[in-house]
Amino acid sequence: MLKLENISLAVNGQNGANKEIIRGIDLEFHPNRLYAITGPNGGGKTSIAKIIMGIYKQSGGNIYLDGENINDLSVSERARKGIAYAFQQPPRFKGLTVSDLMQIARPGLDGMNLRTSLRDVGLCPEDYLDRDIGPGLSGGEIKRIEIAQLLARDAKISIFDEPEAGVDLWTIQKLIAIIMSKFRSKQGETAVIITHNENVLHIVDEIIMVEEGQIKDRGTPDEIWPLIRHEVECKMKEQCRGEMVYEI
Amino acid sequence: MKFEQLDMDLLQAVADIKGIPSGAVNIRRNGEAVFRHSSPNIIIATNPENKGLIVEVKAGTKGETVHVPVILTDSGFHDRVYNTFKIAEDAEVTIIAGCGIHNDSHSDSSHNGIHEIIVGPRAHVKYLEKHYGEGRGEGKRILNPTTVVRVENGGSIEMEMLQIKGVDDTIRTTTAYVQEKGNLKVVERLLTHGRQKAESDIRVEIEGQGAAAQILSRSVAQDDSYQLFKAALVGKNECTGHVECDAILMDKARIKSIPQLEAEDANAVLTHEAAIGKIAGEQLIKLMSLGLSEQEAIDTILEGFLR
Ligand SMILES: Nc1ncnc2c1ncn2[C@@H]1O[C@H](COP(=O)(O)OP(=O)(O)OP(=O)(O)O)[C@@H](O)[C@H]1O
Ligand SMILES: [Mg+2]
């Protein structure tokens, strides 16, 4: 189980003053459960994931993995303990191929499983295995490869940061279904999906709504969905000076 | 001729050979040809001044390889050699050159190789040159290759030059002339560390109509090392040329990159791109998030970059 206790994060704002982008968050993620984190842009979702991975160091609070305080563990150490994060915007590399990166993600991955992992995310292995993770790959392709790495890792906690972003309408359902079925069939693993995708929000066990660096609401899709709809309506009205332009 | 383990190791490092390869071979050790073998299509002979080789590849030769590695194991030895490669029309050949120095002493060892490569009409050449240095001595391991390339009508050459660690001082001078519809591609990969210095000076004159040239350099400079990269493309006709220099800078190292384009014809299309920077932090973090340590992540990124 992963536990965040009173986590906050301050960064240097534009005027040099400290800006708190995460404010006193308490969260628990249990094995065999699927979570979605959603909320408006800039709310703090990616920041929470990066704090968990150790990429950002929290300014206050504690993180526990299976009861052990992991505050002082580096990114590499947390990865080896079973935390995995698929980046919202994965970096590109010159000279590293898809196959290289998959082998790093899952050392000893054999050829057959490597191919299956790519097929799972909708990529034809023959076309991609030897391709550079460089400027020659499209945004959607990079995202799929990022997801494939996490699926291959079999980590205790897998965090996907907007896996749907940039993935086309034709295959997105399939991709979501694959992620879901992988986790539903595995014992003892936790998946956290940061998402704006309605379909994902309907099929997870729990939704966590993050706004302005805080947890606004959390609960089952049935509990949270009406709140989200209401929020969206309010936002629309706000933006359009009270006039409803779109029927939601 | 008997080779010692040390010789074999150096040969393996520079020419990727275990034992004597089949086909045309000339192995030069401490200034002397210690093994030579010609093939029916590739004739290796000593030049008239007795200062090097003349390698002649017959017209129409297909898919053959010639190995001409040089090794230096006597410390303090200063070697100088003049080699000429003549590749006749329509031949296809791979030339594996390369120089390995083992120096355990206080005195410097050096090799100055002067190569002339003539690529005949419609001939296709692949030229690989690897530099390697080892040994515990204070004495420097110095390599100064000079290469002159002439690509005749419709010929092509792809040159790959590799120097990964071990060589203390190097000044590489490459000059090329490309005729009508000829094609030249130079790929340089370089890693310097410690107090090493590496200088590369490439000048390509694209003389013929429809000719093309490409110079690509990937380099990594670590510790206190210094690299100077000069690449000049001269377009004298309707032609295309591109220079690309991409470097990773680490520690206290310094890199100076000077691409130069000279167009003497309104139909010459010449471009250049240069980028020098440190390893991107997000690349490191990404690999660490897959479980690599920071050092493993750095090594992986550099290895890929120089591949
Ligand atoms: N390293 C940083 N330095 C300064 N500000 C940051 C940094 N990282 C995030 N922020 C700010 O913190 C806020 C939360 O960012 P975060 O990326 O966590 O949002 P998000 O919820 O993931 O948004 P999105 O839905 O757009 O991905 C934003 O206002 C962002 O500008
Ligand atoms: Mg985000």
Side-chain angles (χ1 to χ4, degrees):
Chain A
M1 186 199 53
L2 181 76
K3 186 174 167 188
L4 309 193
E5 188 184 82
N6 198 19
I7 291 290
S8 59
L9 175 68
V11 295
N12 279 332
Q14 265 177 342
N15 49 9
N18 267 5
K19 183 181 152 209
E20 245 196 357
I21 58 176
I22 298 295
R23 299 184 283 165
I25 280 189
D26 291 305
L27 270 177
E28 282 181 10
F29 297 99
H30 295 270
N32 303 319
R33 282 180 74 80
L34 270 165
Y35 297 84
I37 302 182
T38 194
N41 292 141
K45 303 176 294 297
T46 296
S47 303
I48 294 173
K50 288 188 172 173
I51 291 170
I52 296 172
M53 191 69 243
I55 298 168
Y56 288 170
K57 179 95 177 91
Q58 73 265 25
S59 1
N62 294 300
I63 310 182
Y64 302 92
L65 181 65
D66 297 331
E68 180 198 355
N69 186 314
I70 59 165
N71 283 359
D72 295 329
L73 295 191
S74 68
V75 175
S76 320
E77 287 165 328
R78 292 184 199 203
R80 286 182 220 133
K81 291 231 177 235
I83 299 177
Y85 172 59
F87 286 60
Q88 183 171 0
Q89 280 163 329
R92 292 166 191 261
F93 295 86
K94 278 187 185 136
L96 280 192
T97 63
V98 172
S99 155
D100 292 334
L101 207 55
M102 290 296 292
Q103 295 284 349
I104 294 169
R106 181 71 194 245
L109 187 69
D110 65 32
M112 204 183 76
N113 283 314
L114 176 56
R115 282 158 198 281
T116 310
S117 305
L118 290 181
R119 258 185 235 112
D120 278 350
V121 294
L123 298 177
C124 172
E126 281 63 39
D127 296 343
Y128 287 92
L129 278 174
D130 297 327
R131 297 263 308 261
D132 250 28
I133 312 276
L137 285 178
S138 79
E141 288 166 336
I142 289 261
K143 282 297 271 194
R144 288 168 190 269
I145 293 159
E146 186 75 2
I147 295 164
Q149 290 161 48
L150 238 65
L151 295 178
R153 266 179 83 68
D154 266 333
K156 261 189 215 163
I157 315 269
S158 299
I159 308 169
F160 297 85
D161 200 343
E162 297 192 22
E164 76 274 11
V167 171
D168 59 66
L169 282 173
W170 292 265
T171 44
I172 184 137
Q173 286 302 347
K174 175 110 192 297
L175 194 64
I176 293 167
I178 290 271
I179 297 177
M180 294 296 164
S181 76
K182 285 259 173 195
F183 281 93
R184 292 287 183 215
S185 66
K186 280 175 186 167
Q187 271 304 306
E189 294 188 8
T190 308
V192 182
I193 304 173
I194 298 172
T195 187
H196 300 292
N197 183 284
E198 205 179 312
N199 295 304
V200 178
L201 293 176
H202 279 299
I203 49 182
V204 293
D205 301 313
E206 189 174 332
I207 299 176
I208 298 156
M209 252 250 272
V210 174
E211 201 174 322
E212 293 175 2
Q214 287 177 309
I215 295 171
K216 185 114 193 292
D217 287 297
R218 62 183 299 179
T220 62
D222 286 345
E223 290 163 350
I224 299 296
W225 195 238
L227 300 174
I228 293 177
R229 279 182 69 98
H230 178 70
E231 278 258 327
V232 172
E233 271 173 44
C234 292
K235 277 253 153 61
M236 287 274 187
K237 280 184 188 149
E238 226 172 75
Q239 276 166 9
C240 308
R241 297 192 191 83
E243 265 174 72
M244 278 290 288
V245 206
Y246 303 107
E247 194 61 41
I248 323 168
Chain B
M1 180 64 223
K2 222 173 127 272
F3 287 103
E4 289 165 21
Q5 191 57 43
L6 180 63
D7 301 331
M8 296 315 296
D9 292 347
L10 283 175
L11 285 171
Q12 161 116 47
V14 297
D16 236 347
I17 49 178
K18 291 193 179 88
I20 304 295
S22 60
V25 187
N26 187 86
I27 298 174
R28 181 181 175 97
R29 185 179 64 187
N30 300 321
E32 279 173 51
V34 288
F35 183 89
R36 178 176 302 168
H37 182 254
S38 296
S39 77
N41 288 325
I42 303 177
I43 313 298
I44 304 180
T46 303
N47 59 23
E49 305 83 23
N50 195 25
K51 283 180 182 160
L53 303 175
I54 297 184
V55 178
E56 286 186 82
V57 179
K58 287 189 183 159
T61 300
K62 296 281 174 235
E64 285 196 42
T65 298
V66 50
H67 287 88
V68 286
V70 172
I71 54 177
L72 256 68
T73 51
D74 283 354
S75 298
F77 195 85
H78 296 281
D79 190 20
R80 179 176 286 272
V81 62
Y82 297 83
N83 293 337
T84 308
F85 298 85
K86 289 183 185 163
I87 295 96
E89 63 271 17
D90 300 301
E92 280 175 31
V93 69
T94 300
I95 302 170
I96 301 187
C99 179
I101 302 183
H102 181 97
N103 187 355
D104 275 335
S105 83
H106 292 293
S107 27
D108 297 351
S109 295
S110 71
H111 175 76
N112 292 314
I114 296 111
H115 291 294
E116 185 178 7
I117 306 171
I118 300 157
V119 181
R122 299 170 309 278
H124 298 291
V125 178
K126 224 179 151 138
Y127 177 85
L128 307 174
E129 185 183 294
K130 224 192 231 183
H131 284 175
Y132 174 74
E134 59 171 34
R136 296 175 307 274
E138 295 273 291
K140 283 188 173 173
R141 295 166 292 259
I142 303 168
L143 282 169
N144 294 325
T146 303
T147 312
V148 179
V149 186
R150 291 173 212 284
V151 182
E152 295 176 355
N153 294 3
S156 76
I157 183 166
E158 197 178 323
M159 306 174 75
E160 207 177 310
M161 321 214 254
L162 185 74
Q163 179 176 315
I164 308 292
K165 297 197 172 182
V167 177
D168 297 302
D169 255 320
T170 165
I171 299 179
R172 180 197 290 285
T173 313
T174 310
T175 315
Y177 305 90
V178 190
Q179 305 297 327
E180 201 176 303
K181 292 203 168 68
N183 197 307
L184 171 106
K185 182 176 176 183
V186 179
V187 180
E188 257 196 336
R189 293 172 212 282
L190 174 67
L191 185 147
T192 52
H193 65 139
R195 306 184 61 82
Q196 295 175 345
K197 278 203 245 120
E199 189 178 324
S200 179
D201 193 340
I202 306 179
R203 184 179 173 86
V204 180
E205 304 208 352
I206 318 174
E207 299 175 324
Q209 193 178 17
Q214 228 182 328
I215 303 170
L216 308 175
S217 159
R218 285 265 179 102
S219 73
V220 177
Q222 299 177 321
D223 306 325
D224 276 323
S225 63
Y226 174 72
Q227 297 179 6
L228 172 60
F229 177 73
K230 287 197 262 183
L233 276 182
V234 189
K236 298 189 161 177
N237 212 317
E238 179 199 332
C239 64
T240 57
H242 182 64
V243 184
E244 204 173 302
C245 160
D246 211 340
I248 293 180
L249 192 60
M250 298 168 77
D251 313 308
K252 288 190 177 141
R254 287 172 306 140
I255 295 179
K256 195 165 166 180
S257 172
I258 313 174
Q260 184 183 327
L261 305 178
E262 294 172 35
E264 296 177 6
D265 186 296
N267 292 312
V269 179
L270 307 177
T271 51
H272 79 74
E273 250 176 83
I276 304 177
K278 58 179 186 187
I279 293 181
E282 54 168 13
Q283 293 182 345
L284 277 179
I285 295 285
K286 166 68 204 172
L287 294 183
M288 287 164 71
S289 79
L290 296 176
L292 298 190
S293 68
E294 187 172 350
Q295 191 57 49
E296 286 168 340
I298 292 173
D299 293 345
T300 304
I301 291 167
L302 295 186
E303 202 189 299
F305 183 73
L306 290 172
R307 189 153 56 190

